[in-house]
Amino acid sequence: VQLQASGGGLVQAGGSLRLSCVASERAFSALVIAWFRQVPGKEREFVAAIRKSGGHTYYVDSVKGRFTISRDNAKNTVLLQMNSLKPEDTAVYYCAAGLRTILSTTTDPRGYDFWGQGTQVTVSS
């Protein structure tokens, strides 16, 4: 297994969750590791990404100021701290690793090579 996502759960609006994505050595060496989310009947949506070089981060507008993506290099782990959660954040969250992902394809799920199994996040109103 290249990526293992965990940390989802049920939380009330305004609450917090922290998602973890533990990666294999190969996956963690990828240029970019990202989080996407998906609700039934909709396309997979980009949430956040972090580049290996320089640690540059990217976020979809709807989570800016609320979510923070970070890398723990000692544990081959990428974290997604989610604060001030809203019901519209409810989705299955997936982590992904892109070996050759370039800046222009950071938000495109087709640009990623490995995917975790997903973890459910449910935010109640």
Side-chain angles (χ1 to χ4, degrees), residues 2-113:
Q2 302 282 1
L3 297 168
Q4 187 89 24
S6 63
L10 172 64
V11 65
Q12 289 188 331
S16 299
L17 283 173
R18 188 176 73 169
L19 305 185
S20 295
C21 177
V22 180
S24 66
E25 286 290 340
R26 185 176 184 215
F28 199 69
S29 69
L31 290 180
V32 181
I33 296 181
W35 286 95
F36 288 78
R37 63 188 179 188
Q38 190 169 25
V39 297
K42 292 191 175 182
E43 292 184 354
R44 196 162 291 190
E45 176 191 33
F46 170 80
V47 177
I50 186 166
R51 299 194 73 85
K52 178 183 178 182
S53 176
H56 299 292
T57 57
Y58 310 89
Y59 299 92
V60 67
D61 286 346
S62 61
V63 309
K64 284 180 180 177
R66 300 189 298 123
F67 291 11
T68 302
I69 189 170
S70 61
R71 293 171 64 104
D72 184 338
N73 294 329
K75 298 180 179 179
N76 280 17
T77 299
V78 171
L79 303 172
L80 185 68
Q81 179 66 43
M82 305 187 298
N83 299 328
S84 302
L85 283 162
K86 304 176 180 180
E88 50 264 43
D89 294 318
T90 295
V92 177
Y93 283 70
Y94 299 89
C95 58
L99 300 177
R100 296 166 296 274
T101 308
I102 58 177
L103 184 59
S104 61
T105 60
T106 299
T107 62
D108 187 342
R110 295 171 298 178
Y112 291 80
D113 302 284

